[in-house]
Amino acid sequence: MSDLKFCQGTKCHQYKTKDRIKGTKGSKTYQTRRRSNFYYGGDNFCSMNCYNDWFNKYGDRAIDHFGRTTKAKHLTEDNAWEKTYDWDNRTDDRVYIYVNGITKEQRPITEEQYEDNNYTLNTS
Ligand SMILES: [Zn+2]
């Protein structure tokens, strides 16, 4: 049971659904949902409602904390590389490639490079 976690929604316990009623007879309350997995907000929220409740309360402060975008970002050939994969017609194997969204240039990459979130060809 230790791998269960709570929904981070600020009002999760206020939504009156049967599955939120917990506790022993005579002292049952609506409680924050607790699950091993959630499908919203990077596995932190039980529903879009809870995700939105959190953002409405903390979103502005979170954006200010991590850095608010104050000018337009530009997609150029220096930062338009995206990982994708295709199928090798002869072997039926997956082939991993980097595709530049501006120039359409393709470069083969390994599966390890595809899975590595730190590996990038983007320089800006
Ligand atoms: Zn929730």
Side-chain angles (χ1 to χ4, degrees):
M1 295 292 275
S2 60
D3 55 350
L4 295 180
K5 55 190 174 183
F6 289 102
C7 171
Q8 295 302 300
T10 53
K11 300 178 185 176
C12 191
H13 60 292
Q14 294 178 8
Y15 295 107
K16 297 187 188 77
T17 61
K18 277 187 178 169
D19 70 292
R20 287 180 170 96
I21 299 173
K22 304 279 180 192
T24 53
K25 198 172 182 181
S27 61
K28 290 187 183 295
T29 55
Y30 289 100
Q31 298 181 14
T32 303
R33 276 182 172 152
R34 193 175 185 207
R35 305 262 167 83
S36 56
N37 289 87
F38 293 118
Y39 297 106
Y40 303 95
D43 199 20
N44 286 299
F45 301 95
C46 73
S47 67
M48 280 305 293
N49 273 342
C50 282
Y51 191 6
N52 288 332
D53 289 340
W54 187 94
F55 195 88
N56 288 339
K57 184 162 185 180
Y58 298 119
D60 259 348
R61 281 193 272 162
I63 289 170
D64 286 336
H65 177 79
F66 292 107
R68 185 171 291 275
T69 298
T70 56
K71 59 185 189 212
K73 297 174 183 174
H74 299 263
L75 185 66
T76 67
E77 57 187 85
D78 293 332
N79 64 11
W81 290 100
E82 287 185 37
K83 292 174 182 178
T84 187
Y85 59 85
D86 205 348
W87 300 97
D88 185 315
N89 290 329
R90 289 166 299 132
T91 63
D92 250 11
D93 288 335
R94 245 192 209 194
V95 287
Y96 298 92
I97 46 178
Y98 243 130
V99 179
N100 191 295
I102 299 292
T103 65
K104 307 302 179 196
E105 180 186 346
Q106 296 189 8
R107 293 186 193 173
I109 56 174
T110 66
E111 183 174 358
E112 289 72 30
Q113 290 168 329
Y114 179 84
E115 299 291 345
D116 183 353
N117 289 330
N118 294 316
Y119 180 78
T120 183
L121 295 176
N122 292 320
T123 56
S124 65

